[in-house]
Amino acid sequence: MPVVLKDFSWDRMIAAVDAVRERARRASAALTQSSVPHSIIGGHAVASWVARVDAEAVRNTADVDLLIRREDLDRTIAALSSAGFVHHNVNGIDLFLDGPTGSVRSGVHVVFARERVFSDYPTETPDVTEAEPGPEFPVPTLEALVRMKLTSFRLKDKVHVLDLIGVGLVDESWLNQLPPPLVPRLKELLESPDRERTH
């Protein structure tokens, strides 16, 4: 099927970024109101940390990743449903679409705290208590975030860690504080020729 191109639109790009940030804010506000411990992880968390150093180095992301405890899933469903989100479980993955016509690409994707996302992952996800309050939503501590990104280690996770390295938030000193399985992964990125070309 051929791709249909729309006109170039700066307003449309800004609106898309704002919509994702608003989705994260709305989800977090609903969970906070219902006293559900959580943090916003993934690209939004990386952007929040990077912006503390260099706002021009922030990278946008299309979806929202949410860290909760598995025992809080029912309360999360109730809280987010009250905010207009629609819960789905797709191939064993819990996610929330933004309304009945929302897309999976722009949904809220659930990750459970203190668990391995996949059985072959070298470490578990952090607990929701490893978080810091942000101006819009709580995000993982920098150490917890780096552990998560090095554990997943997909292409986008590598780019996110390179972003953190690029603004000076992560450096060689981190090799002494990470779980052993993650050390060679960080070393690979610290030595990568791409570390100066991620923006």
Side-chain angles (χ1 to χ4, degrees):
M1 186 174 180
V3 175
V4 178
L5 294 175
K6 299 181 176 68
D7 293 337
F8 289 111
S9 171
W10 182 249
D11 289 339
R12 192 160 55 239
M13 289 189 290
I14 293 173
V17 173
D18 288 345
V20 178
R21 299 291 289 182
E22 178 56 30
R23 197 170 294 123
R25 285 193 291 264
R26 204 168 86 245
S28 181
L31 292 170
T32 298
Q33 187 173 6
S34 297
S35 301
V36 178
H38 68 283
S39 63
I40 301 296
I41 58 175
H44 289 292
V46 174
S48 296
W49 276 102
V50 169
R52 296 183 67 177
V53 180
D54 183 358
E56 293 183 356
V58 169
R59 190 182 304 273
N60 297 317
T61 187
D63 62 357
V64 177
D65 295 317
L66 172 68
L67 184 73
I68 61 169
R69 292 171 177 160
R70 186 176 290 276
E71 58 265 33
D72 289 329
L73 178 59
D74 288 343
R75 290 202 298 147
T76 297
I77 293 172
L80 294 190
S81 295
S82 69
F85 294 94
V86 179
H87 176 249
H88 288 268
N89 185 287
V90 180
N91 298 324
I93 298 174
D94 288 283
L95 57 90
F96 294 84
L97 305 186
D98 194 356
T101 61
S103 71
V104 172
R105 180 192 294 270
S106 61
V108 177
H109 299 81
V110 174
V111 175
F112 291 113
R114 304 173 300 190
E115 298 184 12
R116 280 177 166 80
V117 177
F118 296 105
S119 59
D120 60 346
Y121 272 22
T123 66
E124 297 178 347
T125 55
D127 198 356
V128 289
T129 54
E130 287 190 74
E132 298 192 12
E136 301 171 315
F137 39 72
V139 297
T141 64
L142 183 58
E143 183 177 350
L145 179 61
V146 171
R147 292 201 316 268
M148 293 183 75
K149 287 295 173 181
L150 291 174
T151 296
S152 299
F153 217 53
R154 300 158 298 177
L155 177 59
K156 69 177 180 179
D157 299 305
K158 294 178 183 180
V159 171
H160 283 152
V161 176
L162 286 170
D163 288 346
L164 296 170
I165 293 171
V167 296
L169 286 169
V170 175
D171 57 26
E172 286 77 5
S173 67
W174 282 70
L175 296 171
N176 299 318
Q177 64 190 69
L178 290 170
L182 303 183
V183 171
R185 296 183 175 189
L186 178 57
K187 187 175 181 181
E188 173 188 324
L189 297 178
L190 287 167
E191 295 174 351
S192 170
D194 294 325
R195 62 180 292 182
E196 303 298 332
R197 299 199 295 267
T198 57
H199 289 279

